Amino acid sequence: MQMTPGPTAVPPRVRERMSDPMPNPDVEDAFVELYDGVCENLGRVYGTDDDVIVMGGEGILGLEAAIASTVAPGDDVLCISNGLYGDGFADFVESYGGNPTLVGAEYTAPLDLAGVEAALEVGEYELATMVHCETPTGTLNDIEPVLELLDDHGVLSVVDAVSSLGGAPVPSEHIDINLGASQKAFSSPPGLTTVAVSDRAWEVATERDPDSLYTNLLPWRDTSEMFPYTHLVANVAALDESLTSLFDEGLESVYERHERVAAHCRERANELELELYPDEERSAPTVTALHLPGRAEAIQAELADEHDVVLSTGLGDLADDILRVGHMGYNAEIEKVDHVMDALASVLEA
């Protein structure tokens, strides 16, 4: 059983949809209709009237493209972080010639709102970046107060919502570039980046005029004549099926299911006397991170070898300290979590 926090297990109906005959995305109107429908339905999930585009490439493409499309050499960018992906935005900014100012916090702490406010008082920033759900540590950030501050100072906002979109509400009304991906709570295969782009963000990208094709949002603004390159048609069809499944259940029901399953996972962890990373208040509804200092990789291996349960460890310095249970999308089910936690209990007792 694969219970990783992305890529997630793909349900049968999505796999079956990928086996259907596919239209040629370069010449057939049927693909245009499919793509436009997917973008419209993604707008419902984002909860926005902003333009939504779907790019061919794994979710990290969206993070880089957001920076490549909006940051000119010499631009000052505020990077707000309490995790690995939040820190990584600063690397992207530097690679495109920008000057990142990192307002960082401990990985177990909330975003530093006071630090953001202080930075905005003394600096002038073109845009700011942050992460809604830090998957490596299972953290869901309260980003609305930060977004309100950025609005007050007229700063463009870029948010990585890859691991929350489709599994938890995202405060899209305050976000200028809102990034998602197919392989997390949508339970589609990896390969697509989804982006909701505000009018203000389009204006900035137009002024920036990036010289890249692949890491550039602008060519996707109007695909009525042609797409920038041959699209991943089977992946788009899979995402269409995933969205249909989501709407069949209902968005609010989906969010409630994720919350209920996450709470159950943490109750089981408490019974095993396992510590969460971070605490429950900041833990995401899509992934539970268990703090097992120096033991995570060995336990991961034993779960796979002895119980056929595949989990993820942490990343970077926390690779051997965190074991992550992904309960998102198709895998947000009580029975699946119980199977995982029963196996984990067996390993810990051995």
Side-chain angles (χ1 to χ4, degrees), residues 21-83:
M22 296 293 166
N24 185 313
D26 296 326
V27 299
E28 293 190 72
D29 290 341
F31 178 75
V32 177
E33 294 172 4
L34 171 64
Y35 175 85
D36 288 346
V38 166
C39 291
E40 181 179 345
N41 282 331
L42 281 168
R44 293 171 60 190
V45 180
Y46 275 109
T48 185
D49 293 326
D50 291 342
D51 292 338
V52 176
I53 63 175
V54 179
M55 305 170 74
E58 194 273 332
I60 203 72
L61 169 63
L63 277 66
E64 181 169 357
I67 301 304
S69 301
T70 56
V71 176
D75 282 353
D76 292 322
V77 179
L78 191 61
C79 298
I80 305 157
S81 175
N82 61 349

Side-chain angles (χ1 to χ4, degrees), residues 3-6 85 134-138 184 277 287-290 292 296 310-315 322-327 340:
M3 288 286 284
T4 54
Y85 284 109
E134 275 283 1
T135 329
T137 56
K184 300 286 187 175
Y277 187 110
V287 53
T288 291
L290 303 172
L292 297 159
V310 180
L311 303 183
S312 296
T313 61
L315 298 177
I322 289 177
L323 189 67
R324 294 180 289 154
V325 181
H327 37 72
V340 169

Side-chain angles (χ1 to χ4, degrees), residues 5-274:
T8 54
V10 178
R13 64 182 286 181
V14 176
R15 298 199 303 270
E16 290 167 8
R17 178 69 182 278
M18 293 185 77
S19 69
D20 287 349
M22 296 293 166
N24 185 313
D26 296 326
V27 299
E28 293 190 72
D29 290 341
F31 178 75
V32 177
E33 294 172 4
L34 171 64
Y35 175 85
D36 288 346
V38 166
C39 291
E40 181 179 345
N41 282 331
L42 281 168
R44 293 171 60 190
V45 180
Y46 275 109
T48 185
D49 293 326
D50 291 342
D51 292 338
V52 176
I53 63 175
V54 179
M55 305 170 74
E58 194 273 332
I60 203 72
L61 169 63
L63 277 66
E64 181 169 357
I67 301 304
S69 301
T70 56
V71 176
D75 282 353
D76 292 322
V77 179
L78 191 61
C79 298
I80 305 157
S81 175
N82 61 349
L84 190 69
Y85 284 109
D87 293 346
F89 266 123
D91 296 330
F92 280 133
V93 170
E94 283 188 342
S95 71
Y96 285 93
N99 303 315
T101 294
L102 182 65
V103 177
E106 295 293 329
Y107 284 11
T108 54
L111 297 175
D112 184 0
L113 186 63
V116 173
E117 191 165 16
L120 291 171
E121 290 299 327
V122 299
E124 293 186 9
Y125 298 96
E126 303 295 330
L127 73 152
T129 65
M130 73 198 78
V131 176
H132 189 214
C133 177
E134 275 283 1
T135 329
T137 56
T139 301
L140 187 74
N141 285 315
D142 180 10
I143 60 174
E144 288 192 75
V146 181
L147 292 169
E148 289 170 3
L149 273 178
L150 298 179
D151 270 352
D152 291 342
H153 288 80
V155 178
L156 199 78
S157 56
V158 175
V159 173
D160 170 358
V162 168
S163 296
S164 52
L165 186 69
V170 180
S172 301
E173 65 272 16
H174 297 296
I175 301 173
D176 290 295
I177 299 180
N178 198 344
L179 303 163
S182 56
Q183 79 272 21
K184 300 286 187 175
F186 291 128
S187 294
S188 266
L192 299 178
T193 284
T194 70
V195 193
V197 188
S198 72
D199 290 341
R200 183 168 64 154
W202 283 130
E203 291 172 8
V204 170
T206 301
E207 293 172 3
R208 165 74 174 89
D209 191 23
D211 54 13
S212 165
L213 171 65
Y214 198 68
T215 56
N216 187 349
L217 301 178
L218 279 175
W220 295 90
R221 187 176 191 181
D222 182 2
T223 57
S224 59
E225 296 297 325
M226 63 182 296
F227 290 92
Y229 45 78
T230 300
H231 219 314
L232 284 67
V233 56
N235 290 67
V236 175
L239 182 55
D240 180 58
E241 192 66 31
S242 294
L243 290 166
T244 299
S245 177
L246 188 152
F247 291 131
D248 285 348
E249 182 177 352
L251 270 176
E252 292 305 318
S253 295
V254 169
Y255 298 152
E256 190 277 332
R257 172 167 57 86
H258 279 78
E259 291 282 358
R260 183 175 68 253
V261 172
H264 181 73
C265 185
R266 287 150 201 168
E267 182 180 334
R268 290 294 310 270
N270 183 61
E271 291 169 0
L272 297 175
E273 299 183 346
L274 294 176

